[in-house]
Each structure stands twice: as structure tokens, then as C-alpha cells.
Amino acid sequence: RMEKVKLTNSIAKTYDGPPGRLWDSEITGFHLRIYPSGKKSWAFLQNPYGSMVFGTILELGAEKARSLAAGAKLKIKAKENPIAERRQRAEQVRAEREVTEKLTLQEAWSDYVVKYLQPKSGTHFKGNRHYLESVRIMEKHFVPLFGLMHPVEVSKREWLAFIEDQQAQRRSTARKLQSLITNLYKWMDKQSKYTDEVNGLPPISGLVAPPKSKIRRLETLEQVRSYWSATDHLGAQSIRDAVRFILLSNKRTIDVLRMKVQHIDFEEKIWTISAEEYKNSRKQVVGLTDTLIKLIMSSVDGRSAGYVFSRNGGSSPVTLTDAINKKLVERAGVPYISIGDLRRTMSSHLADLGIPAEVRSKLRGHARGDIADVYEVNHMVPQQREAYTLYAGKILDERGEF
């Protein structure tokens, strides 16, 4: 049994001990209930009457919960049973709800969007973009199928079939749906309105990807060369150039596809990604090599504006589907990786080649997260080019010009 302390909002928020009960030193039986899921609720226990939960720490303050516990003790002294009364009221409410308004996943999702997911006023536009994309995906794929169902009505078989179907169509969407649905259920489990209506998390978070996708990088430079060679068989020049640029640049796929001609300084061989466009909201200055410039020029084909890697004159970027990548992997005869995993592949080999961690981090566009990031604005362009040149040499040395 844990020691007694005067329970406060601060203690409840910061307590990180094991699941169980943290007892109050002022009101006997009043305690903080800590669940294995991490949820924390104010509760009251007195034998032989049993226990009652007042609400989560997000919904109720410590003093309010303590006063409810004191009230319960007074009723017990008066030979009443507040715990049984509360249970009877809950059962009555639940029965009325089942008759009048069945709780649905669409209602829960709408509640979650308004109370949690929706960005606060003044939020950076990236937060709004994430919110809009999340709502779009869920309302397109999740709500039409499960919106009218109760949270516990969806069977394991239905969840598995749903996610497997999404994986077959577009893995990136399946991953987002897994995350969004799991977070929705976690949120419901921490709200008193839904706690009794949720019976654990849906089994989607436990789904494992196909065994081949567990290998997340090409382990040898020979495998990388084989992957590069396989790009020769991609039909569209712009798609071929985009995949090759990703393979040699250590940049995120989305950033490469968003690259526009006007972002490139061809004279200085610099590619600039604005802070507004980049994931960590920091401006990126990329030192390009002759090889990377050649890939850009190959796709631009004399244009002065628009997306670099495009099949319609720069109006929109190319799309790199999983089907394209499967063909590359199959032709190269290498273990399965996604196009996005080419970043991890390059970073690993650069480490083996002796490129310092600081330079590798700069190539990936990561921030160190310390105070130096605020005061030091060193894009390390020469070091970037040295790393790019070294890696490209290891991939292209037996192939010459491409």
C-alpha cells in the first residue's frame, strides 16, 4: 500500500509511479487511481460498500474531488450508500442511452476533433495542415464504415480486414489511420463519458507489417548500386530522376517532390527550403553537387518555374507509388525497403564511411535540439557537398556517367 500524501493537482499531474492507488492523507478512502494505460482518476473506497470514481484529473480538480469524497463519507455515516446510488444512476443513464441515443464512433470522432484535435487559435499553419489531413482521411475511410457503430461493436476481424485493405491500397494512409484510430480510443478511455463504453484498444495497433518490410535499409553498397541500376528501367524520366535524387540526397521524399525550379540557385548550386515548408520549421540550405544538379536539369528540361520532378510541365509533382518501388526492389534483387527508407540507408553508410554525426544530421535536416541551434546558423554547405560526393562515388564508381 502506497504512503499517504495530501493529494493536489500538481501531484496528480506529475506522479509517475506504478499503477495502483495513491491515498490522500486528509480524507480516508479518497485516492488517486492510476491505471496501467496511464489514465489517472479521482476515486473513493470504503469497505464493505466498494469504490466509486469521480472523474479523471483532466476533468476534475483535486479539491472538488476531495469535497465529493467528504460528502460520500457523510452519507455513509448517515447509514446511506452513495456508492450503490451512483452505480444505480449510472446503470439508469446507460439504459436510457441505449434506448434513446446509441453512442457511435462518429459521435466520438466529432467530439475528439472539437475537444482535442482541432488546432487552437493562432496555431502555426503546419498544425492546421496536419489537422485538415487527419480529418480528411478519417472522414473518407473510417467514418463511412464504422461511424454508426458502437466502439465495442467492431470485431477484431473487421478491424484487421479494414487495415489490411488500406495497406493493400496505400501503406502511408494505413499507417495514419492506425495512429488516428488508436489515439481516438486512448482519448475515449480517458474521458468519463466514454470510459465505460470502450473495452480496450482496437487490435489495429498490434498489426505487424509483412515480414519483408521489417528490413528498413540496404545493408551493403552493392545492394544500393543494384537499386540504382534498377532505376534504368523506370519509364518516365522525371520519376527516374526523382528516385535517384532521393537516393543520393538524404532528403525526405516529400521535400524532394515539392522542390520547384525557383528554389534552386543554379549558379551557386544551392537548394533552399523555407522554414514554412520544412518539417521542423527551420530553413534548410542544401549544397548541391554536379551530380545532383544534373538530375535536376534532366527533369527541368529548360523550364524556369514549376515543380522540378514533374510529368506535366511543372504543374504538379510526380507520384512515387509503392507499386513503383516494388518493381525497383524486385528488379534489383534486394530486400524490401520503401523509397523513404533510402534516407536511412544513406545515413548508415555515411556513418560507415566516417562522415561526422553533425554533418549527417545536417544532411537529414534534423535540429540538434540544444541552445546552439538558436545562436549557430551554419548550414555546413562544403561539408554537405563532400559527403554527397563521397557517397555518390561509392554508388557510381563502376557505372561512370548516367
Side-chain angles (χ1 to χ4, degrees), residues 316-366:
S316 61
V318 298
T319 300
L320 300 180
T321 64
D322 193 52
I324 291 174
N325 185 62
K326 286 179 178 178
K327 291 179 182 178
L328 288 171
V329 168
E330 182 177 350
R331 184 170 286 277
V334 298
Y336 180 87
I337 63 167
S338 69
I339 291 176
D341 292 329
L342 293 174
R343 291 186 78 208
R344 185 178 289 104
T345 294
M346 182 173 177
S347 292
S348 299
H349 288 301
L350 287 178
D352 294 339
L353 293 170
I355 299 299
E358 187 175 15
V359 178
R360 301 199 307 272
S361 178
K362 185 65 67 174
L363 292 176
R364 292 193 301 271
H366 290 173

Side-chain angles (χ1 to χ4, degrees), residues 158-169:
E158 287 175 304
W159 281 127
L160 292 173
F162 170 65
I163 292 300
E164 286 173 356
D165 180 59
Q166 295 299 323
Q167 286 178 332
Q169 296 181 52

Side-chain angles (χ1 to χ4, degrees), residues 159-160 163 178-179 181-183 186 201-208:
W159 281 127
L160 292 173
I163 292 300
Q178 283 182 322
S179 176
I181 296 171
T182 300
N183 288 337
K186 287 180 178 178
L201 295 177
I204 56 172
S205 59
L207 283 180
V208 295

Side-chain angles (χ1 to χ4, degrees), residues 4 41 52 92 189 207 242 267 287 296 313 329 366:
K4 295 183 177 182
S41 296
M52 61 196 300
Q92 183 179 355
D189 190 44
L207 283 180
E267 184 174 342
I296 292 172
V329 168
H366 290 173

Side-chain angles (χ1 to χ4, degrees), residues 95-112:
E96 290 175 354
R97 177 186 293 167
E98 289 177 356
V99 173
T100 60
E101 51 172 309
K102 170 186 170 183
L103 177 66
T104 65
L105 281 166
Q106 182 167 11
E107 177 188 344
W109 168 248
S110 299
D111 206 11
Y112 175 70

